[in-house]
Amino acid sequence: MPTAVSRLPTAESLAAYFPLTFPIPSPTTHPDLLSAKDIQREEDLLRNPTSFRAWWAAINATKEAYAALQKTERPLDLAEEVTAILGPLASPLARSHLQRLTYLYEAALVQFPGSFKLWKSYLNTRMTFVLGKLIVKKKAGGKKKFPEMKDALEEESEDLEQWEGGLDPVIGWEEWKSLVATFERALMWLPKLPRLWLMYLSIFFHPRCPPILARTHVRHTFDRALRTLPPSLHSRIWTRYLLWAERMGGPTTVFVYRRYLAIDPSLTERRETALVAGEESVTGRVHQPEGKSPYQLLEDWIDVVEKFAEEVGMDVEDTIESNKGIAAAEAEAAENAKEVPEPASTDGKLIRFAGPAVPVTSDGIVSRPYDEDEDPTSPRKLNIEEIVRKDGLAVYKDQAGRLWTGLATYWIKRGEFDRAKETFENGLKSVLTIRDFTQIFDAYAEFGESLTGALMSSLENEEDETEEDAAETERELDARIAELQDLTDRRPFLVNDVLIRRNPNDVQEWEKRVALWGEDDEKVAETYTQAIETINPRRATANLYRLYVNFAKFYEEGGTTGQAEPDLDSARKILEKATKVNFKLVEDLAEVWCEWAEMEMRHDNYDEAIRVMQRATAIPKHTKVNYHDHTLSAQTRLFKSLKLWSFYVDLEESIGTVETTKQVYDRILELRIANAQIIINYAAFLEENKYFEESFKIYERGVELFTFPISFEIWNIYLSKFVKRYGGSKLERARDLFEQALEKCPPKSCKPLFLMYAQLEEDYGLAKRAMNILDRATKVVQDQDKFEMFTIYIAKATANYGLPATRPIYERALEVLPDRQTADMCLRFAALERKLGEIDRARAIYAHASQFCDPRVRPDFWTEWNSFEIETGSEDTFREMLRIKRSVQAQFNTEASYLAAETTAARQGTRKAEEEAVAQDAMAAAEKQAGVLKGPAFVAAKKTKLPTAEGEAEVTPSATAPVANAEEIHIDEEDL
């Protein structure tokens, strides 16, 4: 062990190796630089000193020779500590070749001092011998051409150069200094090349960079690079500069970031994080949260203010004084802004048009005015209230809850409880959202509860205090409890204030505020008045008229409790004012007039009610006004409000005369605003007063005004009234009316009119005409009504002419009706033929209907045909029926039809019935039916051979086999 220690060289012995490159080696100072092999190269270079190719070839040959010798070099007989100290220059071979390469490069640079290629190669070589081997990183993908500074910093931090080894900064200080001097000489010749600057700056990120170079020299170098390079290349320097500042930490980070943020404030978040991170920022491990908004940065600032309230902010007196000064400055600036600007310059000089003075440098560049609040070196404390108001509340109006609570917490931390309470109150009176209100209210209540709890605890722990101090504490406690209770009681009003501030035109919130005052008539009247003055009618929510009407009812009913004397004059004034409001909807204005008339009627002022409606319905000279033109005022379009006229006419019917009512109805018709209900009401009114012919004229005017389907209701009532009154006395006139009604009536509406017309002819006219009308109806009505129309037609024909006369009707029905209704009509037709004894005709009808009836969907049809054949058919007809059934089933045997049949069968529950019908043998059903008919309908065969397959014996019924029916006819569906 002592032997190993004795082999370790001392620092003085290691330092004797250096300097290697200063002064610059040459054959005269270092005879071993050149060997016999290098004589020819030197002679060639002397003969051709201006040949760059010759110099470049000589340098590359020397490098290749060094690389070859490195491979054959024996391991160094040095301790690991020595190798780590000397780094790349641990071997004599490396030291000698450094001198040789330095000699060649320096000699070449004498000839080509402006060659970037030569300087870059030289500097890379020198860096390799001093900094160690450069670690080459694998990169995936390309970079953005012009990334944002935040992204550029992240990319640059990942791309920073890393080296293996390196020369010790103490032992090899002379070589480090020589390397820096070489960079300085290169930049003297090529100052505008950013690559040389970046190479130079990269050596300062080396972990073994000498401390004497690590701070002041680096900062001066970055500053020289920014002054030398054009502005378009500054971003490449700033990325390195900021990363280096973050590594240094402390004031260096503050000063460097302050300089950069003056030109690009986008890195405010990174600067804030670097400063708040503290010790982590010194080591370069700064955590960067992604995408913080300015509001989030403001929240972080408030957190710092809350934490260091005493250190950063002013007290109450200084804050109040500062606020007064700021208010005075803003008022002066506003006055200056109102001044008339100076005329434009005529001699080309810049003139300030308006606003405060802006400092300008001697070269004409506008500089930013100095703000002491933004200077981190300023010892003056901040006006926290002004900063929160200007940079927070004025900008983030819908996110003010956190700002108000933060400001109040700041005052609480400073012990200024009254100022904190005032801050909470101002916040509750200014926020615009329920979320912010809830945040402030909860913090306010928690502050009150904590303050009350602290006072109660102090009372419990008071032992040495006098009675006067205890009494004072109790009084303060009572006051705080009362304030907390008052805050709780005011919460509904405060919430309502927030909603009204958010939307002052919200009628419903104003009505809620009225309800909150309960029986306080003075506050209710004050709230109504404030609401009417505040709300903009064109922007108000629905039912604005209710606010005026309820206000009028408030005076009409003697207040909310009804104990005061009713004040109709005040109610009339309010309604009079409401009639002049430009509502969004004409219906709202009409409601005001109607409510006014109803109020007069409630107090038995009938004449006044009529006068009110006469004023409301006054017709102007120019009646050509578009009722739906919202650019016109509601008062201009009011005379066309059907709601207003309907109320007026109801009022006239109730308390007016027949003549005045007729006049109102006529004016409605003249304005052409009547609807079908108005026509019907007018005619009904005339009929009640025995003006029958006039009521019929009104009906006729109505059918002229309206088309189908609206006029259908009028025709329906008109014709029924006419027939009821005149019956058959004016039959021709009634026929003309029916024909006129049916002339333009659409198919879907004409069925009731045809039925009424046919009933009229049946009661008062000719049966033949009634049948013709029904026949017309079956041709005109829509398809959905044709089945019912044919049914009625057949019933009438049966009653008038007998069953045989219905055959042509049935035949035409089968031609006209849709497929789904044809089968039902066929069943009825077949039943008719069976009654008439026409069995063959009935069978033909069944056969015709079968093509529309899927056996899986319509088993009722096939059951009825089956019963018919059992009753009246023979074996051949029964076999034909089965053949047709099989053919129809094959016709409908598609996937869609099958699925439809399955669905329908499941709904109707017919599957089980169908299976039972198949399981039941035909003869059993025949016997059962025969028992009902008192005897069989036909004679069965004595013996029937069952059909067999080819090659099998014929099978006859066995005597011992169980037979359900001895006379059963074995007919298989396959034997067709």
Side-chain angles (χ1 to χ4, degrees):
M1 192 69 183
T3 305
V5 173
S6 64
R7 287 188 303 149
L8 289 175
T10 63
E12 291 77 5
S13 62
L14 292 177
Y17 293 144
F18 306 103
L20 295 173
T21 58
F22 184 81
I24 299 172
S26 65
T28 58
T29 59
H30 296 74
D32 57 342
L33 278 182
L34 299 177
S35 63
K37 298 179 181 179
D38 299 330
I39 300 300
Q40 184 178 359
R41 180 197 69 190
E42 291 295 321
E43 292 177 351
D44 292 339
L45 292 175
L46 288 174
R47 283 193 297 267
N48 300 303
T50 58
S51 174
F52 182 83
R53 181 177 297 180
W55 287 102
W56 192 252
I59 292 171
N60 287 333
T62 305
K63 286 184 178 181
E64 292 173 0
Y66 172 59
L69 290 174
Q70 272 187 319
K71 296 179 181 179
T72 60
E73 186 181 15
R74 294 180 180 180
L76 298 176
D77 188 15
L78 294 174
E80 294 183 359
E81 293 81 356
V82 176
T83 304
I85 291 173
L86 296 179
L89 297 176
S91 67
L93 179 65
R95 293 193 291 272
S96 64
H97 272 79
L98 171 60
Q99 292 178 332
R100 291 179 180 180
L101 288 171
T102 302
Y103 159 69
L104 284 175
Y105 274 115
E106 290 291 346
L109 287 172
V110 171
Q111 303 297 329
F112 307 101
S115 173
F116 169 73
K117 181 178 181 180
L118 197 59
W119 274 114
K120 182 180 178 184
S121 178
Y122 182 29
L123 294 173
N124 282 329
T125 302
R126 293 286 298 270
M127 290 172 66
T128 303
F129 282 101
V130 175
L131 305 182
K133 182 180 179 181
L134 180 65
I135 300 175
V136 180
K137 301 177 182 178
K138 295 182 179 180
K139 300 179 182 179
K143 294 182 179 180
K144 296 180 181 178
K145 189 174 182 180
F146 298 105
E148 296 182 0
M149 182 54 71
K150 181 178 69 172
D151 299 332
L153 284 173
E154 296 296 332
E155 294 177 2
E156 191 68 25
S157 62
E158 296 176 359
D159 296 341
L160 282 176
E161 295 84 353
Q162 295 181 5
W163 295 269
E164 289 182 358
L167 182 61
D168 183 78
V170 177
I171 302 299
W173 162 242
E174 294 294 337
E175 287 306 313
W176 277 93
K177 185 169 64 172
S178 178
L179 176 62
V180 171
T182 305
F183 269 106
E184 294 290 344
R185 287 193 295 119
L187 292 173
M188 181 182 65
W189 287 101
L190 301 171
K192 300 294 184 180
L193 295 181
R195 172 47 53 189
L196 293 183
W197 284 103
L198 293 175
M199 291 173 61
Y200 187 16
L201 297 172
S202 66
I203 68 176
F204 302 127
F205 288 87
H206 196 284
R208 287 193 169 187
C209 181
I212 194 172
L213 300 175
R215 284 190 175 270
T216 304
H217 178 75
V218 175
R219 190 174 69 253
H220 290 171
T221 304
F222 274 114
D223 294 341
R224 284 192 294 122
L226 291 173
R227 288 195 300 268
T228 304
L229 294 175
S232 59
L233 300 175
H234 282 188
S235 60
R236 304 178 67 179
I237 304 300
W238 273 116
T239 52
R240 296 282 181 129
Y241 202 177
L242 294 175
L243 290 175
W244 174 80
E246 290 177 358
R247 287 194 174 194
M248 294 298 102
T252 303
T253 305
V254 175
F255 296 142
V256 173
Y257 262 103
R258 189 197 314 160
R259 288 179 57 192
Y260 182 76
L261 293 179
I263 58 173
D264 180 15
S266 63
L267 293 185
T268 303
E269 174 188 353
R270 188 180 182 101
R271 190 273 300 266
E272 174 217 354
T273 307
L275 295 178
V276 174
E279 296 181 358
E280 291 187 359
S281 64
V282 178
T283 60
R285 293 179 285 111
V286 181
H287 172 67
Q288 286 295 321
E290 290 297 331
K292 272 193 176 182
S293 65
Y295 180 78
Q296 291 173 321
L297 296 177
L298 184 61
E299 284 184 322
D300 294 342
W301 177 80
I302 290 177
D303 292 337
V304 175
V305 169
E306 291 177 354
K307 187 176 181 180
F308 305 99
E310 294 288 346
E311 289 82 357
V312 301
M314 302 177 179
D315 56 14
V316 176
E317 292 77 10
D318 294 339
T319 299
I320 294 174
E321 190 67 25
S322 177
N323 290 341
K324 290 181 180 178
I326 293 172
E330 291 178 352
E332 183 180 357
E335 290 294 331
N336 294 334
K338 295 179 181 179
E339 296 179 0
V340 179
E342 301 175 7
S345 174
T346 57
D347 55 359
K349 296 182 179 180
L350 295 177
I351 292 180
R352 178 173 57 88
F353 278 81
V358 178
V360 181
T361 61
S362 58
D363 54 355
I365 300 175
V366 179
S367 63
R368 218 173 143 193
Y370 174 75
D371 189 352
E372 193 175 6
D373 290 341
E374 297 179 3
D375 186 1
T377 62
S378 173
R380 189 173 71 86
K381 294 186 177 181
L382 301 176
N383 186 347
I384 304 300
E385 278 192 358
E386 174 61 19
I387 295 174
V388 171
R389 179 185 68 84
K390 181 179 178 181
D391 298 330
L393 299 174
V395 180
Y396 309 103
K397 299 181 183 297
D398 58 342
Q399 302 180 37
R402 175 68 183 95
L403 304 179
W404 283 110
T405 55
L407 183 57
T409 305
Y410 161 75
W411 289 119
I412 293 172
K413 292 290 184 66
R414 294 186 65 95
E416 303 290 346
F417 298 138
D418 292 336
R419 192 70 173 181
K421 177 185 174 183
E422 182 181 350
T423 303
F424 279 125
E425 290 290 342
N426 292 335
L428 292 176
K429 293 177 183 178
S430 62
V431 293
L432 301 176
T433 63
I434 295 297
R435 181 192 60 190
D436 292 339
F437 169 81
T438 305
Q439 191 173 1
I440 298 174
F441 185 87
D442 292 344
Y444 194 6
E446 185 179 354
F447 163 67
E449 292 173 358
S450 61
L451 195 58
T452 304
L455 291 173
M456 294 177 67
S457 300
S458 64
L459 282 176
E460 293 176 357
N461 299 329
E462 284 180 354
E463 296 179 356
D464 300 333
E465 295 187 2
T466 61
E467 294 183 359
E468 294 181 358
D469 294 338
E472 180 65 25
T473 304
E474 289 181 358
R475 285 194 295 272
E476 185 177 359
L477 177 61
D478 294 338
R480 297 298 181 183
I481 293 175
E483 289 176 359
L484 186 59
Q485 182 64 36
D486 178 66
L487 177 65
T488 306
D489 295 338
R490 288 190 296 128
R491 191 180 193 283
F493 291 92
L494 294 173
V495 172
N496 185 259
D497 284 339
V498 173
L499 297 175
I500 289 178
R501 277 197 300 273
R502 185 176 65 182
N503 183 10
N505 302 308
D506 194 338
V507 177
Q508 288 71 29
E509 292 302 327
W510 282 107
E511 291 179 344
K512 291 179 183 178
R513 188 166 187 82
V514 171
L516 287 175
W517 290 115
E519 298 179 356
D520 191 345
D521 291 347
E522 183 178 353
K523 290 293 185 181
V524 168
E526 181 181 347
T527 303
Y528 273 124
T529 304
Q530 184 181 1
I532 291 173
E533 293 175 354
T534 304
I535 295 176
N536 184 349
R538 302 299 294 180
R539 298 181 180 179
T541 57
N543 299 327
L544 174 60
Y545 74 94
R546 297 300 312 170
L547 205 61
Y548 289 91
V549 171
N550 292 336
F551 194 13
K553 285 185 178 180
F554 169 77
Y555 284 107
E556 179 191 357
E557 297 173 356
T560 55
T561 59
Q563 296 178 359
E565 184 178 355
D567 189 356
L568 288 181
D569 292 337
S570 298
R572 291 190 183 100
K573 289 179 181 179
I574 293 170
L575 293 174
E576 181 70 33
K577 184 177 181 180
T579 59
K580 295 179 174 60
V581 175
N582 186 17
F583 294 98
K584 287 193 296 185
L585 303 176
V586 180
E587 287 77 5
D588 292 349
L589 182 59
E591 287 286 354
V592 172
W593 285 105
C594 295
E595 292 286 347
W596 191 353
E598 286 186 356
M599 183 188 72
E600 299 294 348
M601 292 181 64
R602 284 195 294 270
H603 295 275
D604 300 331
N605 298 328
Y606 301 114
D607 294 339
E608 185 65 25
I610 293 295
R611 282 194 291 271
V612 168
M613 296 310 299
Q614 287 175 349
R615 286 181 55 195
T617 57
I619 301 176
K621 294 181 180 179
H622 303 287
T623 59
K624 293 183 179 181
V625 175
N626 185 1
Y627 179 77
H628 301 286
D629 186 1
H630 293 281
T631 59
L632 302 176
S633 64
Q635 286 76 9
T636 305
R637 299 174 286 154
L638 179 63
F639 73 97
K640 285 195 173 184
S641 173
L642 185 59
K643 178 185 291 187
L644 186 69
W645 283 102
S646 299
F647 181 84
Y648 187 18
V649 78
D650 290 342
L651 187 63
E652 289 288 356
E653 288 185 16
S654 302
I655 61 177
T657 62
V658 175
E659 293 300 325
T660 57
T661 305
K662 289 172 61 178
Q663 291 176 3
V664 176
Y665 272 120
D666 290 338
R667 288 164 68 186
I668 295 175
L669 295 177
E670 290 173 1
L671 290 173
R672 303 182 70 84
I673 60 174
N675 56 12
Q677 189 62 48
I678 292 293
I679 299 296
I680 294 171
N681 292 345
Y682 190 9
F685 170 75
L686 294 174
E687 185 180 358
E688 289 176 2
N689 291 277
K690 311 302 181 183
Y691 293 94
F692 298 105
E693 284 299 328
E694 291 189 19
S695 69
F696 294 152
K697 291 180 181 179
I698 298 302
Y699 283 125
E700 292 177 358
R701 291 182 64 179
V703 297
E704 291 177 0
L705 288 174
F706 302 101
T707 59
F708 285 93
I710 298 175
S711 63
F712 167 75
E713 300 296 338
I714 302 176
W715 275 116
N716 198 11
I717 298 173
Y718 179 23
L719 294 174
S720 61
K721 294 285 187 181
F722 189 89
V723 171
K724 181 179 178 181
R725 174 158 182 79
Y726 293 112
S729 60
K730 294 186 178 182
L731 187 58
E732 289 300 326
R733 181 179 172 186
R735 288 172 177 168
D736 291 340
L737 291 176
F738 274 107
E739 293 295 339
Q740 184 181 352
L742 292 171
E743 181 179 357
K744 297 180 180 180
C745 185
K748 65 178 181 180
S749 303
C750 62
K751 186 182 87 171
L753 299 181
F754 274 115
L755 293 178
M756 193 185 304
Y757 192 7
Q759 189 65 37
L760 172 68
E761 291 292 348
E762 186 177 356
D763 294 341
Y764 305 106
L766 301 175
K768 183 177 180 181
R769 292 182 65 91
M771 299 304 293
N772 291 335
I773 292 170
L774 293 175
D775 184 64
R776 284 173 56 193
T778 58
K779 301 175 182 177
V780 176
V781 297
Q782 60 181 354
D783 293 341
Q784 292 84 342
D785 297 331
K786 285 184 177 180
F787 185 85
E788 184 180 357
M789 207 70 219
F790 272 110
T791 303
I792 298 172
Y793 187 18
I794 291 169
K796 294 293 184 181
T798 303
N800 292 329
Y801 304 113
L803 289 175
T806 61
R807 282 175 175 162
I809 303 174
Y810 274 114
E811 292 173 356
R812 193 161 63 84
L814 297 182
E815 297 175 357
V816 174
L817 290 176
D819 293 347
R820 64 179 183 276
Q821 296 177 350
T822 301
D824 296 331
M825 188 59 71
C826 285
L827 291 176
R828 298 190 180 191
F829 193 8
L832 169 67
E833 297 295 349
R834 290 176 63 181
K835 289 181 182 179
L836 297 176
E838 296 291 344
I839 303 301
D840 293 336
R841 291 177 65 89
R843 184 173 292 110
I845 294 171
Y846 280 124
H848 174 72
S850 64
Q851 59 183 322
F852 309 112
C853 300
D854 187 352
R856 291 174 299 231
V857 179
R858 295 295 302 271
D860 55 334
F861 170 79
W862 295 98
T863 302
E864 183 172 343
W865 193 3
N866 186 73
S867 301
F868 169 76
E869 292 297 342
I870 291 174
E871 295 175 8
T872 60
S874 64
E875 181 176 345
D876 294 335
T877 58
F878 196 85
R879 187 187 300 273
E880 181 65 16
M881 184 268 292
L882 293 177
R883 186 192 67 78
I884 294 174
K885 181 178 181 181
R886 185 176 181 84
S887 175
V888 172
Q889 188 169 1
Q891 178 185 353
F892 284 97
N893 192 19
T894 61
E895 183 178 359
S897 177
Y898 178 75
L899 293 176
E902 288 293 320
T903 304
T904 306
R907 289 178 180 175
Q908 299 178 354
T910 58
R911 187 181 301 170
K912 183 177 180 181
E914 185 179 4
E915 292 176 356
E916 292 177 354
V918 173
Q920 184 181 15
D921 59 281
M923 291 306 300
E927 284 187 353
K928 183 177 180 181
Q929 187 69 20
V932 176
L933 298 175
K934 304 300 181 183
F938 62 90
V939 179
K942 295 299 182 180
K943 182 177 180 181
T944 303
K945 294 182 180 180
L946 298 178
T948 60
E950 184 178 355
E952 294 184 1
E954 294 183 354
V955 181
T956 57
S958 174
T960 59
V963 180
N965 185 4
E967 299 180 355
E968 179 180 7
I969 301 176
H970 296 278
I971 301 177
D972 193 277
E973 294 184 3
E974 298 292 341
D975 191 17
L976 297 175

